[in-house]
Amino acid sequence: MKLTTKSEYSLLALTYLARHQKRGYIRMEDIADQYGISKKYLEQIFISLKQARYITTKTGAGGGYKLTIPADQISLAEIIRLMDGALAPTVAASKYFFEHTPLEKEEKIMQVFKEIRDYISGKVEGMKISDLV
Amino acid sequence: MKLTTKSEYSLLALTYLARHQKRGYIRMEDIADQYGISKKYLEQIFISLKQARYITTKTGAGGGYKLTIPADQISLAEIIRLMDGALAPTVAASKYFFEHTPLEKEEKIMQVFKEIRDYISGKVEGMKISDLV
DNA sequence: ATATTGTCTATCAAAATTATAGACTAATCA
DNA sequence: TGATTAGTCTATAATTTTGATAGACAATAT
């Protein structure tokens, strides 16, 4: 029932970028140090975030990363879905990542998981990176 | 944010046992067939459920599995915790499976995840196998 | 030029997930 | 009693996911 570090680190990194926006470009190493995360691992996460257009980068001295989208327009939901997929406890109960599983045969269980899905969605759709700063 | 098949299959199997209680001992193969699950894989799941005293078994013809605990006294929460661990989206927000992670540095995120944890707990603690039948 | 910082591609180790195999044990019942 | 049925136990294996590491390269600033 868990998120992976990809989601976790993404949320941390984006929060850090939002918090230090006025400093302009932020070095990856600052973020890695701040949270005690592997720099090289974080790099790969940043590449995904960049491809998804959440951040832009600048190479060289004084370079680093910064947000391209206002922090109040980035929901936790979209970051978690990008990194980890379904918010629902099982894909059989997922809207965006639906797949068939044996669980579908049991309607009552499905109902429980859909309610959990809806609660989680509501929570993390409504919550923005700016709310975390 | 997902459960594994161990939790899913456990819930399915216990629901099936509860539903067919009056038939006495139920063969593993019946359950495997019903849901299209590997028999051998289900076997291992049953061993865990047996060790945790949810079911008893009987070998030989006419044998199989049955519940030892009334279905209305088995919550989904305990089965999921047994099979998959934490209900919380991250162990940093878990009561039973707490571990330190970098996420702890961000209180607002932690707050969100704790609220999700509490919702999920409330939901699956309150829901019993008998409610699924 | 040189130091700084990100990019890209490959690769890898460990763990978790999802099984499969097969010999063994216990119970039934004909 | 012996054939059949059904669970037990232990090992191992395939695949995927997770969480990283390595190193050559490219862009920028001073």
Side-chain angles (χ1 to χ4, degrees), chain A residues 86-133:
Chain A
L87 299 177
T90 167
V91 287
S94 173
K95 285 178 180 171
Y96 289 70
F97 298 89
F98 172 80
E99 278 173 44
H100 290 285
T101 82
L103 212 67
E104 291 170 79
K105 292 208 173 179
E106 292 294 343
E107 292 202 9
K108 301 263 180 64
I109 309 186
M110 288 298 293
Q111 186 53 38
V112 174
F113 287 161
K114 282 180 179 170
E115 286 168 16
I116 290 174
R117 171 201 70 194
D118 289 341
Y119 177 86
I120 295 175
S121 294
K123 201 83 189 170
V124 297
E125 300 280 9
M127 189 72 51
K128 312 295 179 181
I129 294 296
S130 53
D131 298 321
L132 302 178
V133 172

Side-chain angles (χ1 to χ4, degrees), chain A residues 4-5 9 38 40-41 44 58-61:
Chain A
T4 68
T5 54
Y9 295 174
S38 148
K40 279 290 193 181
Y41 186 45
Q44 290 174 47
K58 199 174 141 196
T59 307

Side-chain angles (χ1 to χ4, degrees), chain B residues 34-50:
Chain B
Q34 164 67 18
Y35 297 110
I37 298 170
S38 147
K39 214 175 108 184
K40 278 292 192 180
Y41 186 44
L42 197 55
E43 191 188 294
Q44 291 173 46
I45 291 171
F46 273 124
I47 286 173
S48 300
L49 290 174
K50 189 187 176 185

Side-chain angles (χ1 to χ4, degrees), chain A residues 16-84:
Chain A
Y16 190 95
L17 290 182
R19 182 176 294 137
H20 297 96
Q21 255 172 332
K22 61 186 73 154
R23 278 168 49 198
Y25 287 97
I26 306 290
R27 292 186 317 143
M28 176 173 59
E29 198 163 6
D30 288 353
I31 302 176
D33 287 351
Q34 165 67 18
Y35 297 110
I37 298 170
S38 148
K39 214 174 107 183
K40 279 290 193 181
Y41 186 45
L42 196 55
E43 190 187 295
Q44 290 174 47
I45 291 171
F46 273 125
I47 287 173
S48 300
L49 290 173
K50 189 186 176 186
Q51 281 169 353
R53 307 195 178 281
Y54 290 106
I55 55 179
T56 36
T57 58
K58 199 174 141 196
T59 307
Y65 299 84
K66 72 177 182 191
L67 292 179
T68 41
I69 298 178
D72 61 2
Q73 287 171 40
I74 307 173
S75 71
L76 306 204
E78 53 195 291
I79 301 303
I80 294 171
R81 288 206 184 96
L82 176 65
M83 294 295 163
D84 277 355

Side-chain angles (χ1 to χ4, degrees), chain B residues 4-6 9 38 40-41 43-44 58-61:
Chain B
T4 68
T5 53
K6 277 199 177 115
Y9 295 175
S38 147
K40 278 292 192 180
Y41 186 44
E43 191 188 294
Q44 291 173 46
K58 198 174 145 197
T59 308

